[in-house]
Amino acid sequence: MTRDEILAKILTIFATNFEIENPDLDENLGEAHEFDSIDAIELIREIELLLGTTLTRQEKESAMGIRTINQIVDYVADLAAARV
């Protein structure tokens, strides 16, 4: 999966699940859209579905510092590469 494909899928998830459309890719989601820890848990589940795998506890914990769409895309790209 390319970075552009991942970005498109993440943007679709945000539009569908969180009603966040056309976000700035570098804005802090918590500050700009009140994206909270409950939303983060739901997003992690969507990432698992996207990758077709269950994330480890360590992988989930490493996601807790993510604040922007670009960071999410990088995170998913790294996870996907590690599973090839």
Side-chain angles (χ1 to χ4, degrees):
M1 208 173 348
T2 69
R3 190 175 197 292
D4 287 340
E5 291 170 331
I6 294 168
L7 175 59
K9 291 179 185 205
I10 294 298
L11 290 175
T12 299
I13 289 168
F14 271 86
T16 304
N17 294 40
F18 306 108
E19 298 178 1
I20 299 173
E21 297 197 24
N22 303 315
D24 181 304
L25 301 183
D26 290 312
E27 70 187 355
N28 183 310
L29 293 165
E31 293 173 4
H33 301 284
E34 299 179 9
F35 193 83
D36 61 19
S37 58
I38 301 298
D39 295 325
I41 291 168
E42 186 176 340
L43 177 60
I44 287 172
R45 180 66 188 132
E46 290 297 323
I47 290 170
E48 289 177 326
L49 293 171
L50 176 65
L51 296 173
T53 187
T54 301
L55 302 183
T56 66
R57 181 181 182 99
Q58 183 178 2
E59 289 170 333
K60 291 175 185 177
E61 288 174 359
S62 70
M64 290 299 117
I66 293 173
R67 301 287 178 255
T68 70
I69 297 288
N70 273 328
Q71 289 174 332
I72 294 167
V73 173
D74 291 341
Y75 172 74
V76 173
D78 290 345
L79 291 173
R83 284 167 167 72
V84 173

